[in-house]
Amino acid sequence: MEQVLEVYQRPHNPQRPVVNMDDQHQQLIAETRQTIPASPGCAERIDYEYVRQGACVIWMFVDALGGWRNVTVTENRTAGDWARQVQQLVDQPRHAAAERITLVCDNLNTHTLNSLDHAFPQEEALRIARRMEIVHTPKHGSWLNIAASELSVLTRQCLDRRMPEQQRVADEACQWTENRNARQVSVAWQFRTDDARIRLKRLHPDVKA
């Protein structure tokens, strides 16, 4: 936990950006009957019945201090999918001059640099790994991941309705991302290491000399 909190206290540095990453499944749901639009004196009517059309995966990368995020939508969430997302992060024009990118993510077993070896030739995997520093949130500590909060905002503002197709989800998420980036919405993280030692004292035993 302290490692994550210490990372969040680093000053903004485009050459060594701190980027949070998280992902979530999104159900694809289709209507069984056409929605009746609202009219004077009558609210919009949506039938409670629906049809499941599978699911997709939403990937969120966010630079909390830089006011930047990137969202992509894929069909699966394998080690190879994660590796390709990290490759895109490294090759972002925004990070062309970055010496090293600190990636904060949860401790899922596919979220390691070993996944690069399964997805790319050795030379490419090494190129990406040399530009990455991976910092994992602790078990049951996903609330420490700023990208999880950003995914929650995306879900509430953009995806809280039925969407039957993966492309529709991708298009909606893209528009949301462009709007949020244009306004350079940043995140002011207030929880510090000293706060953790007080509020989560049980996790910080007092070691006597």
Side-chain angles (χ1 to χ4, degrees):
M1 177 185 297
E2 289 190 9
Q3 183 182 13
V4 176
L5 296 178
E6 290 296 332
V7 166
Y8 288 169
Q9 294 185 61
R10 296 177 185 174
H12 181 53
N13 183 353
Q15 292 190 327
R16 289 181 174 270
V18 175
V19 178
N20 288 74
M21 169 266 155
D22 199 7
D23 57 74
Q24 72 176 22
H25 281 91
Q26 176 74 20
Q27 290 288 333
L28 300 175
I29 297 176
E31 304 284 1
T32 59
R33 294 178 177 84
Q34 186 174 0
T35 299
I36 301 175
S39 60
C42 186
E44 180 183 42
R45 282 170 284 181
I46 302 175
D47 196 286
Y48 69 89
E49 189 177 357
Y50 59 86
V51 178
R52 294 184 183 274
Q53 301 281 66
C56 59
V57 179
I58 301 174
W59 301 84
M60 171 70 72
F61 289 81
V62 54
D63 179 348
L65 296 179
W68 171 88
R69 71 275 301 138
N70 185 63
V71 180
T72 55
V73 181
T74 63
E75 184 177 355
N76 299 307
R77 187 181 65 172
T78 65
D81 291 303
W82 182 85
R84 284 183 285 274
Q85 293 297 320
V86 172
Q87 181 190 47
Q88 292 177 22
L89 176 69
V90 168
D91 293 337
Q92 273 275 346
R94 177 185 181 86
H95 300 136
E99 299 173 357
R100 200 171 185 84
I101 301 171
T102 299
L103 183 65
V104 180
C105 56
D106 61 31
N107 54 16
L108 194 66
N109 60 354
T110 57
H111 295 171
T112 68
L113 294 179
N114 290 335
S115 294
L116 299 173
D117 295 323
H118 297 289
F120 305 115
Q122 183 179 14
E123 183 177 347
E124 175 64 3
L126 186 59
R127 179 188 74 88
I128 298 171
R130 282 174 173 168
R131 296 190 61 199
M132 299 298 301
E133 174 193 8
I134 305 295
V135 176
H136 290 113
T137 57
K139 189 176 181 180
H140 305 304
S142 59
W143 59 274
L144 285 167
N145 193 343
I146 293 175
S149 299
E150 198 73 8
L151 272 174
S152 177
V153 176
L154 169 65
T155 301
R156 288 184 283 109
Q157 292 184 349
C158 181
L159 305 177
D160 60 343
R161 58 193 184 279
R162 298 174 183 177
M163 298 185 191
E165 300 172 350
Q166 178 177 315
Q167 188 58 51
R168 171 76 181 280
V169 175
D171 291 342
E172 294 284 344
C174 180
Q175 292 182 29
W176 177 88
T177 303
E178 290 177 354
N179 177 270
R180 204 159 170 83
N181 283 344
R183 293 184 288 120
Q184 289 192 308
V185 179
S186 59
V187 178
W189 184 266
Q190 300 297 320
F191 197 69
R192 299 287 189 263
T193 303
D194 291 341
D195 299 322
R197 291 185 179 279
I198 295 172
R199 301 183 188 181
L200 303 175
K201 188 176 180 179
R202 68 186 185 281
L203 301 179
H204 300 274
D206 183 14
V207 179
K208 298 181 179 179

